[in-house]
Amino acid sequence: MVIIEIDNIHYKREVILDSLFRTSRIIILETSGDNLIGSYDKLMISDNIIYILDKKVTQAIYAFNFDGSFRFKIARLGEGPGEYREIRDFTVASGSDHLELMDFPGGQILKFDKLSGELEADVRLKKNTYYAAFEKIGNQYITAHANNCGLLEDCFNLSFHDHDFEMLSTHFPIHTDLLKNNYRGEFHFSRNENQILYKEVLNDTIYKVDPIDQQVSAAFAIDFGKYKIPDTFKYSRKNSGLESLIKYGQLNQATWGIHDFYQSSNVLFIRFPLPNLRTLYFDLKSAKGISFDRYKTNNLFYLGDPISAHQDDFISQIPAETIVGILKNNFYTKDSIAVREYYKEFFDKTKHIKNDSNSILVFYEVKI
Amino acid sequence: MKKLSKLIYIILTGTFLLTSCKLEDKNIITPYQNAIYTWYSSQYEQLNKKSESLKSDTWFLYFDEELVCDTCKLQILNAVKDMDNVVLLTHFGNEVKVELFKSTYKLNNIVFDGISKKGTSLSIPFLFRSRDKSMYALTIIDEEFLEKNSLKKILSEKL
């Protein structure tokens, strides 16, 4: 287990990203017909296909090739057969032919051909707890539970299930003081190929999940030191939900914990609120890290936020409206000829992007 | 070039999703209602201005698309999608996303996007009517409400 002590991590209020990042790949996601993505809520890659979940706007999953060309979308919102009432989460198990989608209110997992998006089968869900997210390796499902499970039976944070979704084992009973409140903003799983990392509600430890042996082991313990909200507040009746934690954090310059996290082959990325999000990159080989609140860059492809990790890279997304704003304010002014020349690659790749285009994905390595 | 360097100066910020469909007990309703009234008192002018051309029997559905529990979305939006007297208040801040949202849920309603949230996290949707400075007929659409009532039926009767 790696212990990361925030108090001992080199902190700079503002960093220049250009010395930390190295671009590996830029993908302009094709926009055609009705494949416009409203929000990028989860991205995963399997066999060189990029799958993107839009939970907030279109309730659909979009698939693209690595060159950015569009393959298909899964958009079956509805209450009829083969339709879903909500996409709670989706995953593609390694070695599997299926993309699987969890529809919690519909009580089902729908299985699609991962290459074509055709519906092939469904698995019924036993709704004896609230599932927040799921992953799958081989034939085994791993689920993270929402903590406001009330009177439901299986109030655990994590469980393993067989291919029919029969529960095999459970881990981490949900703390009684956290049962009543919903922390749905919590980020549970982060996956890079076959490595699955997991974090339970309000816990500062990131676990590695081994689905074959149904084992969960601590991989990273984040010691927030002077920024930590004490457990005597977090696990008590004084904590009346995320709002009370945010308020405590604002008053005491403290954090309620990890906001999101991804791991590339050699680097861990986490963000935590103070109350604005502070970013941390930690090199696992050198055990060196850097944290910062703001950044500057001369590489306009570094303007996105990380939304996934794939092999050695992190993947960030730059929304079309951000690109259009940059182009409008900088590339079509009286200085534009010089600017276009200086940022030639950016201009060449983005000049056709409009407000109703899909985002750009940027793959980058981090060197600390 | 210096101008550009300044323009690409970005501050990292984040939003935290406080989300719930469920009011735990009756005592919690009052603070939530108070939060709604506080929001309304700061926004009614903007709302009235936007709704000048609408009929007086218009209902407003406050719907924070980021915070509404996913389980409730389809049920609520299916109930109101063909009712042209129900105006949706959303917070996309982006016309393209509003159109995508309307087309996903097949909404025939007018959508007022961008009525400010001003730091409030009103995760549970609510229906209300507005006249001058007054909000009335407030209905909070929590899980219990959805379990016990048919929103479509209630709206049909009220409309």
Side-chain angles (χ1 to χ4, degrees), chain A residues 14 36-39 55-59 77-79 84-86 88 104-105 130 180-185 241-243 246 256 259 271 273 275-277 279 292-298 300 303 305 321 329-331 333 335 338-339 342-343 355-356, chain B residues 1-22 24-25 28 63 65-75 77-78 92-94 96-106 119-123 143 147:
Chain A
E14 179 183 296
L36 185 57
I37 304 170
S39 64
K55 264 172 89 93
K56 295 191 191 85
V57 185
T58 65
Q59 286 277 347
L77 189 64
E79 295 175 290
Y84 51 79
R85 288 167 61 188
E86 175 220 334
R88 178 70 41 113
F104 180 71
Y130 284 122
K180 284 184 179 177
N181 302 306
N182 188 348
Y183 299 92
R184 246 184 68 230
L242 193 54
E243 210 163 43
I246 292 169
W256 53 263
H259 175 76
R271 289 191 294 183
N276 289 333
L277 291 176
T279 298
F292 55 89
D293 293 329
R294 306 192 237 184
Y295 59 87
K296 275 183 179 174
T297 176
N298 267 316
L300 300 175
L303 294 179
D305 281 337
E321 58 261 36
N329 294 325
N330 302 285
F331 288 76
T333 63
D335 296 330
V339 174
Y342 190 79
Y343 296 103
N355 271 325
D356 57 356
Chain B
M1 206 58 67
K2 275 184 181 173
K3 183 186 162 205
L4 184 61
S5 297
K6 281 179 189 169
L7 283 165
I8 59 177
Y9 186 90
I10 301 293
I11 298 173
L12 292 176
T13 58
T15 53
F16 314 108
L17 302 181
L18 176 65
T19 55
S20 174
C21 271
K22 196 167 184 176
E24 287 164 13
D25 59 53
I28 296 181
F63 192 90
E65 64 285 343
E66 285 222 8
L67 302 184
V68 172
C69 76
D70 298 318
T71 314
C72 318
K73 272 186 183 172
L74 187 64
Q75 192 177 356
L77 295 174
N78 266 352
F92 291 103
N94 178 317
V96 176
K97 287 186 181 177
V98 172
E99 288 310 311
L100 274 176
F101 177 69
K102 284 180 76 170
S103 110
T104 299
Y105 289 95
K106 299 179 176 65
T120 43
S121 56
L122 297 170
S123 58
E143 269 183 3
E147 272 170 29

Side-chain angles (χ1 to χ4, degrees), chain A residues 263-282:
Chain A
Q263 189 196 332
S264 68
S265 305
N266 299 317
V267 177
L268 177 72
F269 159 89
I270 70 165
R271 289 191 294 183
F272 53 98
L274 265 176
N276 289 333
L277 291 176
R278 180 168 291 179
T279 298
L280 163 74
Y281 285 101
F282 187 84

Side-chain angles (χ1 to χ4, degrees), chain A residues 99 121 177 193 204 229 245 269 301 335 341:
Chain A
L99 177 155
D177 287 321
E193 300 204 304
D204 297 336
I229 290 183
L245 290 170
F269 159 89
F301 288 115
D335 296 330
E341 192 55 40

Side-chain angles (χ1 to χ4, degrees), chain B residues 73-99:
Chain B
K73 272 186 183 172
L74 187 64
Q75 192 177 356
I76 294 169
L77 295 174
N78 266 352
V80 303
K81 66 180 183 184
D82 295 319
M83 298 187 170
D84 57 8
N85 270 15
V86 178
V87 172
L88 267 70
L89 308 180
T90 60
H91 306 92
F92 291 103
N94 178 317
E95 282 176 30
V96 176
K97 287 186 181 177
V98 172
E99 288 310 311

Side-chain angles (χ1 to χ4, degrees), chain A residues 90-328:
Chain A
F90 85 98
T91 191
V92 182
S94 54
S96 162
D97 296 332
H98 293 118
L99 177 155
E100 303 191 34
L101 168 166
M102 179 187 276
D103 168 18
F104 180 71
Q108 59 184 344
I109 289 176
L110 296 177
K111 292 186 175 187
F112 298 85
D113 182 309
K114 74 172 183 182
L115 301 177
S116 67
E118 294 296 319
L119 179 64
E120 294 200 337
D122 66 276
V123 176
R124 300 312 298 171
L125 272 181
K126 289 196 176 77
K127 291 169 71 175
N128 47 0
T129 185
Y130 284 122
Y131 299 114
F134 83 131
E135 280 297 344
K136 193 179 184 190
I137 297 278
N139 275 327
Q140 292 223 347
Y141 293 101
I142 308 111
T143 57
H145 302 213
N147 61 308
N148 61 330
C149 45
L151 298 175
L152 294 169
E153 293 166 13
D154 295 313
C155 290
F156 292 88
N157 278 297
L158 187 80
S159 55
F160 292 93
H161 307 251
D162 70 9
H163 63 284
D164 285 326
F165 221 78
E166 291 295 332
M167 199 176 278
L168 299 171
S169 63
T170 54
H171 297 259
F172 311 126
I174 289 174
H175 194 285
T176 47
D177 287 321
L178 303 182
L179 277 176
K180 284 184 179 177
N181 302 306
N182 188 348
Y183 299 92
R184 246 184 68 230
E186 279 275 336
F187 186 94
H188 291 293
F189 289 122
S190 167
R191 181 168 175 176
N192 186 344
E193 300 204 304
N194 275 339
Q195 174 167 278
I196 297 177
L197 297 177
Y198 164 78
K199 186 182 81 64
E200 66 172 307
V201 172
L202 299 185
N203 192 330
D204 297 336
T205 300
I206 296 170
Y207 296 88
K208 190 177 172 187
V209 179
D210 177 354
I212 307 303
D213 295 331
Q214 296 171 39
Q215 293 297 317
V216 187
S217 53
F220 306 103
I222 315 298
D223 178 357
F224 286 106
K226 64 186 176 192
Y227 298 120
K228 183 179 168 66
I229 290 183
D231 285 350
T232 48
F233 183 89
K234 215 191 255 185
Y235 301 106
S236 74
R237 289 187 179 183
K238 287 179 258 176
N239 172 7
S240 56
L242 193 54
E243 210 163 43
S244 66
L245 290 170
I246 292 169
K247 204 173 278 177
Y248 186 99
Q250 285 169 341
L251 288 172
N252 299 284
Q253 179 69 2
T255 183
W256 53 263
I258 302 163
H259 175 76
D260 53 2
F261 58 96
Y262 302 103
Q263 189 196 332
S264 68
S265 305
N266 299 317
V267 177
L268 177 72
F269 159 89
I270 70 165
R271 289 191 294 183
F272 53 98
L274 265 176
N276 289 333
L277 291 176
R278 180 168 291 179
T279 298
L280 163 74
Y281 285 101
F282 187 84
D283 187 307
L284 301 173
K285 281 188 177 163
S286 66
K288 282 183 187 166
I290 184 164
S291 68
F292 55 89
D293 293 329
R294 306 192 237 184
Y295 59 87
K296 275 183 179 174
T297 176
N298 267 316
N299 185 337
L300 300 175
F301 288 115
Y302 294 156
L303 294 179
D305 281 337
I307 56 168
S308 190
H310 178 63
Q311 299 174 347
D312 294 339
D313 295 326
F314 292 99
I315 305 169
S316 67
Q317 168 237 346
I318 315 178
E321 58 261 36
T322 303
I323 293 163
V324 169
I326 291 168
L327 290 174
K328 189 179 163 192

